[in-house]
Amino acid sequence: MAAVACGSLSLSGADQQRASTSARSAFAAGSSGPLRVAHSQQGLQQRQQQQRRRQQRAAVAQSGASTAAPPSTPVVPAGPGGRGPTYDPSAPLSPSKVLFTDIELPLYDPAEQTVFDVVVVGSGPSGLAVADRVAAAGFQVLIVDPNPRAPWVNNYGVWIDEFELMGLADCLDVTWDRAVVHLDATPEGKRYLSRPYGRVDRPKLKRRLLERCLAAGVRFYEAKAQRVRHGGGRSTLELDGGVQVSGSLVVDATGHSRKLVEFDKPFNPGYQGAYGIVVEVESHPFELDTMLFMDWRDDHLDAFPDIKERNAQLPTFLYAMPFSPTKIFLEETSLVARPIIPFPELKLRLEKRMQHLGIKVLSVEEEEFCAIPMGGCLPARPQRVIGVGGTAGMVHPSTGYMVSRVLGAAPLVADAIIDQLSSVSDKATDSHLGRAPRSEAEADAMAAAVWAAMWPVQRLRQREFFEFGMEVLLKLDLAETREFFAAFFSLSSYHWHGFLSSRLSFISLIGFGLSLFAKSSNAARLNLLQKGLPGLIVMLSRLATLK
């Protein structure tokens, strides 16, 4: 449920939340080295523990400004919201680079004043997939992005069976027969997961989606969208330089920046944070046929009591993809926290792991700073702008998993758009009419129907359960997290596979929860009751309002 995150799972739109920058050679030098109801005393102890955790969070947040981190590219967050560095334009995977120089995009000239059927803002996986499918149905589609041919900086990790179902198994460049979890340093804490895992071949997947768009007749305009206004049954986007483009429907695929969609409630998510590097090393201790999904061991911090105590209260784990005996992707990941654990702290913890494992870095190919909003409220629904991917809240609130989810959902969203645009001329008496809304009311109804198809009641119920799970995870320290995952990975494959892949219905999720409770130790059950009951009440109250 976790490493499901950054090395794997954030989505990039026009504005990505995660940067990948080339690191300086100085980094290599810095890297060498039975159950009962709780009595009042228990309640007091719990309140004291919560107070300690609040103090610990404040200490960790403060440490982000002062913790000495190994040299490389800047590690003190300098990007929007303090969640990552500004993009380094010299980096080989900088979003300012043009990766596909051999692909000539059919660019739109605003002087044409075309009113498109759909304008998609953002060229991440979800934006390209939706644009391709709508255009292939015969509609005019425009993609707006400042650099549609830029590389995707995210390292996407996926379960291979998910990509096989979408016919994308050939878009994986490295695969592992199994995964492994280390709950602690004991032999009993090592769990093998018999589910093959893979890293997405980012250039190959993006090239395929771009080429599909070109074959379908999608056009492109290279600019940033600033705002949108609606009127007369169409939407008009204002872009950089005062340029305007219009369409019957607008799709916001800008990822976690949520550029155009509107919210009617405060957005207060948890955050999955991670610091990762792709490195050439002298050697490493990992099995080449096994992907390291989660490593919760903390014996590497025995000589650093302050760091170990911070980790005990706000735990992080190692996520690793061994590519060869001398090349590996390493990432220190916080499953979920509110606020996010600062990047210097994550980097410091990764450095201590590497030193303990004897990993000596020769060169750094990529450096990643990852911040994934998890949970939080969905965009206002319905609204005229249609969100997809991270914009639409499709991140798994309990895990951070996303890329398979958004690619799998793209056909559903695209088909709903096609159905709505086609409905104008469906009747024989209206067959002569253009396939565009004829009024504001009709355009509003079209967008509302697409949102309803994207978030039916069963999906909303599922998301409420995942949100409940996230709120429980936010309250767990290291010992409690280990107990949780000991039970989680003891479940049947149907339950834990389905939970991580968002395949369980709400009824199946109830069975998942009961099974998890049954597999837990008595201490863990009591802990789940104490920390989960308030969230359970909130979830049930929200479920009662769903229609």
Side-chain angles (χ1 to χ4, degrees), residues 176-196:
W176 297 269
D177 297 334
R178 60 184 181 177
V180 66
V181 171
H182 288 279
L183 299 173
D184 54 39
T186 67
E188 296 76 22
K190 188 176 184 179
R191 308 286 181 90
Y192 282 105
L193 310 179
S194 299
R195 191 180 186 189

PDB file of all heavy atoms in Angstrom, residues 176-196:
ATOM      1  N   TRP A 176       9.969  -7.347 -12.082  1.00  0.00           N
ATOM      2  CA  TRP A 176      10.427  -8.226 -11.004  1.00  0.00           C
ATOM      3  C   TRP A 176       9.381  -9.309 -10.780  1.00  0.00           C
ATOM      4  O   TRP A 176       8.166  -9.031 -10.822  1.00  0.00           O
ATOM      5  CB  TRP A 176      10.647  -7.432  -9.718  1.00  0.00           C
ATOM      6  CG  TRP A 176      11.723  -6.400  -9.855  1.00  0.00           C
ATOM      7  CD1 TRP A 176      13.056  -6.549  -9.588  1.00  0.00           C
ATOM      8  CD2 TRP A 176      11.556  -5.046 -10.304  1.00  0.00           C
ATOM      9  NE1 TRP A 176      13.733  -5.385  -9.849  1.00  0.00           N
ATOM     10  CE2 TRP A 176      12.844  -4.437 -10.289  1.00  0.00           C
ATOM     11  CE3 TRP A 176      10.471  -4.287 -10.734  1.00  0.00           C
ATOM     12  CZ2 TRP A 176      13.047  -3.122 -10.671  1.00  0.00           C
ATOM     13  CZ3 TRP A 176      10.676  -2.969 -11.126  1.00  0.00           C
ATOM     14  CH2 TRP A 176      11.951  -2.400 -11.092  1.00  0.00           C
ATOM     15  N   ASP A 177       9.834 -10.529 -10.520  1.00  0.00           N
ATOM     16  CA  ASP A 177       8.918 -11.652 -10.352  1.00  0.00           C
ATOM     17  C   ASP A 177       8.075 -11.547  -9.091  1.00  0.00           C
ATOM     18  O   ASP A 177       6.996 -12.123  -8.996  1.00  0.00           O
ATOM     19  CB  ASP A 177       9.700 -12.967 -10.312  1.00  0.00           C
ATOM     20  CG  ASP A 177      10.428 -13.245 -11.618  1.00  0.00           C
ATOM     21  OD1 ASP A 177       9.978 -12.747 -12.669  1.00  0.00           O
ATOM     22  OD2 ASP A 177      11.454 -13.963 -11.579  1.00  0.00           O
ATOM     23  N   ARG A 178       8.596 -10.816  -8.113  1.00  0.00           N
ATOM     24  CA  ARG A 178       7.908 -10.723  -6.836  1.00  0.00           C
ATOM     25  C   ARG A 178       8.350  -9.443  -6.137  1.00  0.00           C
ATOM     26  O   ARG A 178       9.243  -8.732  -6.600  1.00  0.00           O
ATOM     27  CB  ARG A 178       8.228 -11.935  -5.966  1.00  0.00           C
ATOM     28  CG  ARG A 178       9.720 -12.072  -5.655  1.00  0.00           C
ATOM     29  CD  ARG A 178      10.041 -13.320  -4.868  1.00  0.00           C
ATOM     30  NE  ARG A 178      11.478 -13.401  -4.569  1.00  0.00           N
ATOM     31  CZ  ARG A 178      12.044 -14.352  -3.849  1.00  0.00           C
ATOM     32  NH1 ARG A 178      11.285 -15.317  -3.332  1.00  0.00           N
ATOM     33  NH2 ARG A 178      13.349 -14.350  -3.625  1.00  0.00           N
ATOM     34  N   ALA A 179       7.718  -9.173  -5.019  1.00  0.00           N
ATOM     35  CA  ALA A 179       8.091  -8.035  -4.176  1.00  0.00           C
ATOM     36  C   ALA A 179       8.327  -8.550  -2.759  1.00  0.00           C
ATOM     37  O   ALA A 179       7.940  -9.678  -2.421  1.00  0.00           O
ATOM     38  CB  ALA A 179       7.007  -6.968  -4.183  1.00  0.00           C
ATOM     39  N   VAL A 180       8.963  -7.723  -1.951  1.00  0.00           N
ATOM     40  CA  VAL A 180       9.237  -8.125  -0.570  1.00  0.00           C
ATOM     41  C   VAL A 180       8.942  -6.967   0.360  1.00  0.00           C
ATOM     42  O   VAL A 180       9.102  -5.796  -0.009  1.00  0.00           O
ATOM     43  CB  VAL A 180      10.702  -8.599  -0.399  1.00  0.00           C
ATOM     44  CG1 VAL A 180      11.681  -7.453  -0.610  1.00  0.00           C
ATOM     45  CG2 VAL A 180      10.918  -9.252   0.966  1.00  0.00           C
ATOM     46  N   VAL A 181       8.505  -7.305   1.566  1.00  0.00           N
ATOM     47  CA  VAL A 181       8.252  -6.320   2.619  1.00  0.00           C
ATOM     48  C   VAL A 181       9.062  -6.733   3.847  1.00  0.00           C
ATOM     49  O   VAL A 181       9.069  -7.916   4.218  1.00  0.00           O
ATOM     50  CB  VAL A 181       6.753  -6.258   2.980  1.00  0.00           C
ATOM     51  CG1 VAL A 181       6.520  -5.389   4.218  1.00  0.00           C
ATOM     52  CG2 VAL A 181       5.940  -5.734   1.802  1.00  0.00           C
ATOM     53  N   HIS A 182       9.744  -5.765   4.450  1.00  0.00           N
ATOM     54  CA  HIS A 182      10.413  -5.988   5.735  1.00  0.00           C
ATOM     55  C   HIS A 182       9.655  -5.186   6.791  1.00  0.00           C
ATOM     56  O   HIS A 182       9.684  -3.953   6.782  1.00  0.00           O
ATOM     57  CB  HIS A 182      11.867  -5.521   5.692  1.00  0.00           C
ATOM     58  CG  HIS A 182      12.765  -6.393   4.868  1.00  0.00           C
ATOM     59  ND1 HIS A 182      13.295  -7.569   5.348  1.00  0.00           N
ATOM     60  CD2 HIS A 182      13.216  -6.250   3.598  1.00  0.00           C
ATOM     61  CE1 HIS A 182      14.043  -8.126   4.416  1.00  0.00           C
ATOM     62  NE2 HIS A 182      14.015  -7.348   3.337  1.00  0.00           N
ATOM     63  N   LEU A 183       8.975  -5.876   7.681  1.00  0.00           N
ATOM     64  CA  LEU A 183       8.256  -5.194   8.756  1.00  0.00           C
ATOM     65  C   LEU A 183       9.214  -4.758   9.858  1.00  0.00           C
ATOM     66  O   LEU A 183       9.037  -3.715  10.478  1.00  0.00           O
ATOM     67  CB  LEU A 183       7.184  -6.111   9.333  1.00  0.00           C
ATOM     68  CG  LEU A 183       6.103  -6.565   8.344  1.00  0.00           C
ATOM     69  CD1 LEU A 183       5.202  -7.604   8.997  1.00  0.00           C
ATOM     70  CD2 LEU A 183       5.286  -5.372   7.861  1.00  0.00           C
ATOM     71  N   ASP A 184      10.234  -5.587  10.120  1.00  0.00           N
ATOM     72  CA  ASP A 184      11.266  -5.279  11.108  1.00  0.00           C
ATOM     73  C   ASP A 184      12.509  -6.078  10.744  1.00  0.00           C
ATOM     74  O   ASP A 184      12.574  -6.685   9.666  1.00  0.00           O
ATOM     75  CB  ASP A 184      10.786  -5.577  12.535  1.00  0.00           C
ATOM     76  CG  ASP A 184      10.272  -7.000  12.701  1.00  0.00           C
ATOM     77  OD1 ASP A 184      10.882  -7.928  12.105  1.00  0.00           O
ATOM     78  OD2 ASP A 184       9.286  -7.208  13.418  1.00  0.00           O
ATOM     79  N   ALA A 185      13.499  -6.088  11.617  1.00  0.00           N
ATOM     80  CA  ALA A 185      14.775  -6.719  11.295  1.00  0.00           C
ATOM     81  C   ALA A 185      14.801  -8.220  11.594  1.00  0.00           C
ATOM     82  O   ALA A 185      15.834  -8.867  11.381  1.00  0.00           O
ATOM     83  CB  ALA A 185      15.894  -6.022  12.062  1.00  0.00           C
ATOM     84  N   THR A 186      13.705  -8.793  12.060  1.00  0.00           N
ATOM     85  CA  THR A 186      13.675 -10.215  12.379  1.00  0.00           C
ATOM     86  C   THR A 186      13.350 -11.035  11.126  1.00  0.00           C
ATOM     87  O   THR A 186      12.717 -10.525  10.186  1.00  0.00           O
ATOM     88  CB  THR A 186      12.615 -10.517  13.447  1.00  0.00           C
ATOM     89  OG1 THR A 186      11.306 -10.278  12.889  1.00  0.00           O
ATOM     90  CG2 THR A 186      12.820  -9.636  14.667  1.00  0.00           C
ATOM     91  N   PRO A 187      13.748 -12.303  11.093  1.00  0.00           N
ATOM     92  CA  PRO A 187      13.377 -13.154   9.946  1.00  0.00           C
ATOM     93  C   PRO A 187      11.868 -13.253   9.761  1.00  0.00           C
ATOM     94  O   PRO A 187      11.379 -13.348   8.633  1.00  0.00           O
ATOM     95  CB  PRO A 187      13.998 -14.517  10.314  1.00  0.00           C
ATOM     96  CG  PRO A 187      15.117 -14.194  11.252  1.00  0.00           C
ATOM     97  CD  PRO A 187      14.653 -13.005  12.039  1.00  0.00           C
ATOM     98  N   GLU A 188      11.123 -13.226  10.881  1.00  0.00           N
ATOM     99  CA  GLU A 188       9.659 -13.318  10.791  1.00  0.00           C
ATOM    100  C   GLU A 188       9.051 -12.073  10.164  1.00  0.00           C
ATOM    101  O   GLU A 188       7.920 -12.106   9.683  1.00  0.00           O
ATOM    102  CB  GLU A 188       9.065 -13.528  12.187  1.00  0.00           C
ATOM    103  CG  GLU A 188       9.462 -14.837  12.874  1.00  0.00           C
ATOM    104  CD  GLU A 188      10.880 -14.813  13.417  1.00  0.00           C
ATOM    105  OE1 GLU A 188      11.410 -13.698  13.654  1.00  0.00           O
ATOM    106  OE2 GLU A 188      11.470 -15.904  13.597  1.00  0.00           O
ATOM    107  N   GLY A 189       9.805 -10.981  10.170  1.00  0.00           N
ATOM    108  CA  GLY A 189       9.278  -9.730   9.617  1.00  0.00           C
ATOM    109  C   GLY A 189       9.419  -9.609   8.120  1.00  0.00           C
ATOM    110  O   GLY A 189       8.966  -8.627   7.532  1.00  0.00           O
ATOM    111  N   LYS A 190      10.022 -10.617   7.481  1.00  0.00           N
ATOM    112  CA  LYS A 190      10.218 -10.585   6.033  1.00  0.00           C
ATOM    113  C   LYS A 190       9.076 -11.312   5.338  1.00  0.00           C
ATOM    114  O   LYS A 190       8.816 -12.479   5.601  1.00  0.00           O
ATOM    115  CB  LYS A 190      11.556 -11.231   5.679  1.00  0.00           C
ATOM    116  CG  LYS A 190      11.954 -11.095   4.223  1.00  0.00           C
ATOM    117  CD  LYS A 190      13.357 -11.682   4.004  1.00  0.00           C
ATOM    118  CE  LYS A 190      13.841 -11.470   2.584  1.00  0.00           C
ATOM    119  NZ  LYS A 190      15.211 -12.009   2.389  1.00  0.00           N
ATOM    120  N   ARG A 191       8.366 -10.603   4.456  1.00  0.00           N
ATOM    121  CA  ARG A 191       7.223 -11.182   3.750  1.00  0.00           C
ATOM    122  C   ARG A 191       7.425 -11.032   2.238  1.00  0.00           C
ATOM    123  O   ARG A 191       7.586  -9.915   1.736  1.00  0.00           O
ATOM    124  CB  ARG A 191       5.921 -10.462   4.142  1.00  0.00           C
ATOM    125  CG  ARG A 191       5.660 -10.355   5.636  1.00  0.00           C
ATOM    126  CD  ARG A 191       5.231 -11.665   6.235  1.00  0.00           C
ATOM    127  NE  ARG A 191       4.973 -11.545   7.665  1.00  0.00           N
ATOM    128  CZ  ARG A 191       3.792 -11.234   8.194  1.00  0.00           C
ATOM    129  NH1 ARG A 191       2.756 -10.988   7.404  1.00  0.00           N
ATOM    130  NH2 ARG A 191       3.642 -11.160   9.508  1.00  0.00           N
ATOM    131  N   TYR A 192       7.386 -12.144   1.523  1.00  0.00           N
ATOM    132  CA  TYR A 192       7.443 -12.093   0.061  1.00  0.00           C
ATOM    133  C   TYR A 192       6.025 -11.975  -0.491  1.00  0.00           C
ATOM    134  O   TYR A 192       5.093 -12.625  -0.001  1.00  0.00           O
ATOM    135  CB  TYR A 192       8.125 -13.337  -0.506  1.00  0.00           C
ATOM    136  CG  TYR A 192       9.630 -13.295  -0.387  1.00  0.00           C
ATOM    137  CD1 TYR A 192      10.291 -14.062   0.574  1.00  0.00           C
ATOM    138  CD2 TYR A 192      10.384 -12.489  -1.233  1.00  0.00           C
ATOM    139  CE1 TYR A 192      11.679 -14.030   0.689  1.00  0.00           C
ATOM    140  CE2 TYR A 192      11.775 -12.449  -1.122  1.00  0.00           C
ATOM    141  CZ  TYR A 192      12.407 -13.218  -0.167  1.00  0.00           C
ATOM    142  OH  TYR A 192      13.771 -13.168  -0.058  1.00  0.00           O
ATOM    143  N   LEU A 193       5.862 -11.153  -1.502  1.00  0.00           N
ATOM    144  CA  LEU A 193       4.570 -10.928  -2.149  1.00  0.00           C
ATOM    145  C   LEU A 193       4.630 -11.529  -3.547  1.00  0.00           C
ATOM    146  O   LEU A 193       5.406 -11.074  -4.394  1.00  0.00           O
ATOM    147  CB  LEU A 193       4.251  -9.435  -2.226  1.00  0.00           C
ATOM    148  CG  LEU A 193       4.383  -8.627  -0.926  1.00  0.00           C
ATOM    149  CD1 LEU A 193       4.065  -7.156  -1.180  1.00  0.00           C
ATOM    150  CD2 LEU A 193       3.484  -9.194   0.161  1.00  0.00           C
ATOM    151  N   SER A 194       3.826 -12.533  -3.791  1.00  0.00           N
ATOM    152  CA  SER A 194       3.840 -13.222  -5.091  1.00  0.00           C
ATOM    153  C   SER A 194       2.961 -12.468  -6.089  1.00  0.00           C
ATOM    154  O   SER A 194       1.946 -12.982  -6.583  1.00  0.00           O
ATOM    155  CB  SER A 194       3.358 -14.670  -4.919  1.00  0.00           C
ATOM    156  OG  SER A 194       4.217 -15.379  -4.042  1.00  0.00           O
ATOM    157  N   ARG A 195       3.381 -11.258  -6.375  1.00  0.00           N
ATOM    158  CA  ARG A 195       2.671 -10.439  -7.359  1.00  0.00           C
ATOM    159  C   ARG A 195       3.723  -9.644  -8.149  1.00  0.00           C
ATOM    160  O   ARG A 195       4.353  -8.744  -7.597  1.00  0.00           O
ATOM    161  CB  ARG A 195       1.682  -9.484  -6.682  1.00  0.00           C
ATOM    162  CG  ARG A 195       0.737  -8.791  -7.653  1.00  0.00           C
ATOM    163  CD  ARG A 195      -0.214  -7.855  -6.936  1.00  0.00           C
ATOM    164  NE  ARG A 195      -1.210  -7.309  -7.870  1.00  0.00           N
ATOM    165  CZ  ARG A 195      -2.066  -6.339  -7.586  1.00  0.00           C
ATOM    166  NH1 ARG A 195      -2.055  -5.785  -6.371  1.00  0.00           N
ATOM    167  NH2 ARG A 195      -2.927  -5.907  -8.484  1.00  0.00           N
ATOM    168  N   PRO A 196       3.942  -9.964  -9.422  1.00  0.00           N
ATOM    169  CA  PRO A 196       4.991  -9.300 -10.201  1.00  0.00           C
ATOM    170  C   PRO A 196       4.776  -7.792 -10.284  1.00  0.00           C
ATOM    171  O   PRO A 196       3.647  -7.303 -10.354  1.00  0.00           O
ATOM    172  CB  PRO A 196       4.885  -9.959 -11.579  1.00  0.00           C
ATOM    173  CG  PRO A 196       4.278 -11.302 -11.307  1.00  0.00           C
ATOM    174  CD  PRO A 196       3.308 -11.060 -10.184  1.00  0.00           C
TER     175      PRO A 196
END
